[in-house]
Amino acid sequence: MKNSVSDHSFYIESDEEEVEVEKEFDKAEENNDGNASDSSDSSADHQQQIKPGSYNTSWPQSYRQSIDLYSSVQSPSIGFLGTPTLSRLGSSFLSSSLTRRHTPETLPTVTKPLLDEQQQQQRRSSHALLPPLPTRRYSIRKDEKPLVAHELPLSCQCSFGQAVLNGINVLCGVGILSTSYAVKEGGWAGLSILFIFAALSFYTGILLRYCLDSAPGLETYPDIGQAAFGNFGRVAISIILYVELYACCIEYIILESDNLSSLFPNANISLGGFELKSQVLFALMTTLAVLPTVWLRDLRVLSYISAGGVIASVLVVLCLFWVGLVDGVGFHNKGTTLNLGTLPVAVGLYGYCYSGHAVFPNIYTSMARPNQFPAVLLTCFGICTLLYAGVAVMGYKMFGESIKSQFTLNLPQDLVATKIAVWTTVVNPFTKYALTMSPVAMCLEELIPSNHSKSYIYSILIRTALVVSTLIVGLSVPFFGLVMSLIGSLLTMLVTLILPCACFLSIVRGKITRLQGALCIIIISVGAVSCSFGTYSALSKIVESLKR
């Protein structure tokens, strides 16, 4: 294929990808002689091996639906809010169908061919460093039904603006609270790491898109792992993604505990000589508050509300700017240029800011015009990086070396802007906790036999145990910034930098150029070094803090 370079963009569009499906079963009405050639049988047997559903039959099968809800990909009535897939699965509280596997077979209302001709023509290779996609041909036998997968109907797919809002909602999370603290840990020079990670993460997002387009049937990150490394790759990547989501729920517990105790520092309860201090008390109260939401069968309302995370993030940033510019806190601190000793901690904090790759494949496959995905990524990364950098500079200039792991804890408590910022920070995780935990719970519920008489009880026990365990871990390691650095170093580096490049190299194999291979090796090396040093530094700091 020939590629043409635009003078105004660094993207390159390849010729339209051609996937030709010979639908022999449509001709059965005209030719009923039942004769099939050996070649057509051979072609059909080959199709059985590469059919779209073949990537969705291994554990976890619930990934697509659960992440769609978590990311609020689309809704038939409120644009980018919610998703029609899960909203129709039932609305009862603690439904006994909670453990049903949401596979294509159990979701006939949203099934369609994964890549029809119109969609396939829209999907284009969009980066100069990506090789052209191979042309694939396959046929379907007369007696076969059209292959289906859990792709959403074209009429319900996201527009460019909806996809951008989804992407920003995923990228711009609680990490924005700690970028000022990251500047303290790494110094002003360390702020350059934020921009480096933004560029690398954007490129690996493009690689994920190419991996999805490399074969029919690929829809999610685990599907990519299976295409690259077989069932082992699917399971390994799934576990990493679920652990990352679980760790985010731990961060929510710590976040709620820190901010609520800052609002009510004197809150405590004494029970039989045993005193619960404010942080422990609010962590326990938060757990009790979110537990019923995790039991909910229908999470549409939470999905709608949590999609307001973009507004919440912007509001918190505006409150910080207001306190500095209008309320007179000022920007008087110069700070340090470079802190080599704690720079690895900053690396993890900056890395955590770009932990959206688990959702990017879902956003891509939900788009009405998939060829706009690179522009969506560029817009999302550009806006989020500006927000992250703005908060990092403003917060560090305002509070200097006294900045805490969440800048909301530094804001003067008597100011109205502080109240707005803290309460916005407190309310937002309440809506996101259940959505973040649901994919983890659903993957474990898949292990329950579907015909088990007590599957309902086991489902409730699984979800309760997950929530209680996040409370225990949060109380055991109540260090928001250090836990975030650990997640960013150990998990985000794998999901965002290392695995996309490794999967890309495995899928394309010998079809890449030296430059493409060199870039992937460099990104893998950067991710591996950052992962090693950042994880070691974060763990060392956590152990040191626990000994105090």
Side-chain angles (χ1 to χ4, degrees):
M1 293 185 182
K2 297 180 181 180
N3 294 331
S4 60
V5 182
S6 171
D7 295 333
H8 303 286
S9 174
F10 52 85
Y11 300 112
I12 287 188
E13 295 186 350
S14 65
D15 291 338
E16 296 178 349
E17 303 157 15
E18 298 177 356
V19 176
E20 180 179 350
V21 181
E22 300 175 4
K23 299 181 178 179
E24 295 181 1
F25 57 90
D26 288 336
K27 301 178 181 178
E29 297 180 356
E30 301 177 1
N31 302 318
N32 296 321
D33 55 1
N35 295 326
S37 64
D38 294 337
S39 60
S40 64
D41 288 338
S42 175
S43 177
D45 292 337
H46 178 65
Q47 165 62 13
Q48 290 291 334
Q49 298 177 0
I50 65 170
K51 65 181 181 179
S54 63
Y55 289 105
N56 309 116
T57 58
S58 303
W59 181 90
Q61 298 177 34
S62 62
Y63 186 87
R64 172 63 191 264
Q65 284 75 23
S66 60
I67 295 297
D68 275 355
L69 184 63
Y70 166 70
S71 60
S72 302
V73 171
Q74 58 244 321
S75 169
S77 58
I78 311 184
F80 69 96
L81 303 178
T83 169
T85 305
L86 286 180
S87 65
R88 289 195 291 263
L89 295 181
S91 58
S92 62
F93 182 76
L94 298 179
S95 170
S96 61
S97 63
L98 188 65
T99 59
R100 293 179 183 174
R101 298 184 178 92
H102 309 313
T103 61
E105 290 75 20
T106 61
L107 291 174
T109 59
V110 294
T111 56
K112 66 178 289 291
L114 177 66
L115 296 177
D116 57 26
E117 292 182 0
Q118 180 181 0
Q119 284 180 286
Q120 194 69 18
Q121 290 175 356
Q122 289 177 338
R123 296 198 172 186
R124 302 162 180 242
S125 183
S126 58
H127 199 283
L129 302 178
L130 300 181
L133 298 175
T135 299
R136 296 176 176 269
R137 293 174 177 265
Y138 52 88
S139 64
I140 302 176
R141 284 185 294 201
K142 297 179 181 180
D143 56 347
E144 266 190 320
K145 294 182 179 181
L147 298 171
V148 296
H150 46 286
E151 184 81 9
L152 296 172
L154 200 62
S155 60
C156 293
Q157 290 183 336
C158 294
S159 66
F160 178 87
Q162 293 166 343
V164 168
L165 288 174
N166 287 331
I168 295 175
N169 191 40
V170 170
L171 281 176
C172 197
V174 296
I176 199 170
L177 301 175
S178 297
T179 53
S180 300
Y181 179 72
V183 177
K184 170 195 171 183
E185 295 295 300
W188 287 116
L191 186 59
S192 61
I193 297 175
L194 177 70
F195 299 98
I196 294 174
F197 281 164
L200 297 182
S201 300
F202 169 76
Y203 178 67
T204 55
I206 299 297
L207 293 186
L208 287 181
R209 183 218 175 172
Y210 175 76
C211 292
L212 290 171
D213 286 344
S214 64
L218 301 181
E219 296 180 324
T220 64
Y221 210 145
D223 293 345
I224 294 174
Q226 184 175 358
F229 305 109
N231 286 332
F232 172 79
R234 180 182 184 86
V235 173
I237 288 180
S238 298
I239 291 175
I240 294 172
L241 296 176
Y242 287 133
V243 171
E244 185 179 37
L245 291 175
Y246 177 83
C248 289
C249 290
I250 297 174
E251 281 287 81
Y252 289 151
I253 297 294
I254 302 174
L255 173 70
E256 296 294 317
S257 175
D258 290 345
N259 283 276
L260 286 173
S261 60
S262 70
L263 290 172
F264 309 101
N266 298 323
N268 59 79
I269 294 179
S270 296
L271 297 174
F274 184 76
E275 183 177 358
L276 294 178
K277 296 183 179 180
S278 60
Q279 287 191 322
V280 178
L281 175 62
F282 286 119
L284 180 60
M285 292 176 62
T286 298
T287 303
L288 294 176
V290 300
L291 184 57
T293 66
V294 177
W295 291 339
L296 284 173
R297 180 64 188 90
D298 184 4
L299 298 177
R300 281 177 297 176
V301 176
L302 291 181
S303 180
Y304 298 157
I305 298 174
S306 71
V310 178
I311 299 175
S313 298
V314 172
L315 182 59
V316 171
V317 173
L318 291 177
C319 288
L320 174 66
F321 289 3
W322 183 275
V323 170
L325 295 172
V326 179
D327 289 332
V329 173
F331 311 97
H332 309 294
N333 295 279
K334 296 182 179 180
T336 57
T337 304
L338 182 64
N339 293 325
L340 286 176
T342 54
L343 182 61
V345 175
V347 169
L349 294 173
Y350 288 134
Y352 185 90
C353 295
Y354 299 108
S355 56
H357 283 56
V359 186
F360 287 163
N362 295 58
I363 294 178
Y364 172 52
T365 54
S366 73
M367 293 182 62
R369 300 182 63 185
N371 61 317
Q372 294 181 334
F373 181 71
V376 168
L377 276 190
L378 183 62
T379 304
C380 293
F381 276 96
I383 293 175
C384 291
T385 301
L386 288 177
L387 288 175
Y388 287 138
V391 170
V393 173
M394 297 284 281
Y396 192 48
K397 289 289 290 183
M398 289 168 62
F399 305 110
E401 294 299 314
S402 64
I403 189 71
K404 297 181 181 179
S405 60
Q406 305 160 61
F407 71 76
T408 52
L409 303 179
N410 288 92
L411 299 177
Q413 296 297 317
D414 58 332
L415 300 177
V416 175
T418 299
K419 302 293 184 182
I420 296 175
V422 174
W423 279 110
T424 302
T425 303
V426 166
V427 171
N428 201 33
F430 277 105
T431 65
K432 289 191 173 183
Y433 186 98
L435 296 172
T436 307
M437 185 60 78
S438 288
V440 184
M442 289 173 66
C443 81
L444 295 178
E445 289 161 5
E446 285 186 45
L447 304 178
I448 304 174
S450 58
N451 58 349
H452 201 288
S453 60
K454 295 183 179 180
S455 60
Y456 163 76
I457 298 176
Y458 289 154
S459 175
I460 297 300
L461 291 177
I462 287 173
R463 292 174 179 247
T464 303
L466 287 172
V467 175
V468 172
S469 65
T470 60
L471 170 65
I472 295 174
V473 177
L475 291 177
S476 302
V477 192
F479 314 115
F480 183 84
L482 295 178
V483 173
M484 179 178 290
S485 178
L486 178 61
I487 297 171
S489 300
L490 179 60
L491 300 174
T492 305
M493 291 301 154
L494 285 171
V495 174
T496 302
L497 298 184
I498 298 176
L499 291 176
C501 293
C503 291
F504 175 76
L505 291 176
S506 176
I507 289 175
V508 300
R509 297 183 184 276
K511 299 178 182 179
I512 61 175
T513 65
R514 292 182 179 179
L515 178 59
Q516 296 163 6
L519 279 176
C520 288
I521 295 300
I522 291 174
I523 294 175
I524 292 175
S525 300
V526 171
V529 171
S530 300
C531 180
S532 301
F533 284 97
T535 301
Y536 175 79
S537 181
L539 288 175
S540 300
K541 291 285 185 180
I542 289 174
V543 172
E544 181 181 341
S545 299
L546 290 174
K547 291 181 179 179
R548 294 176 183 174

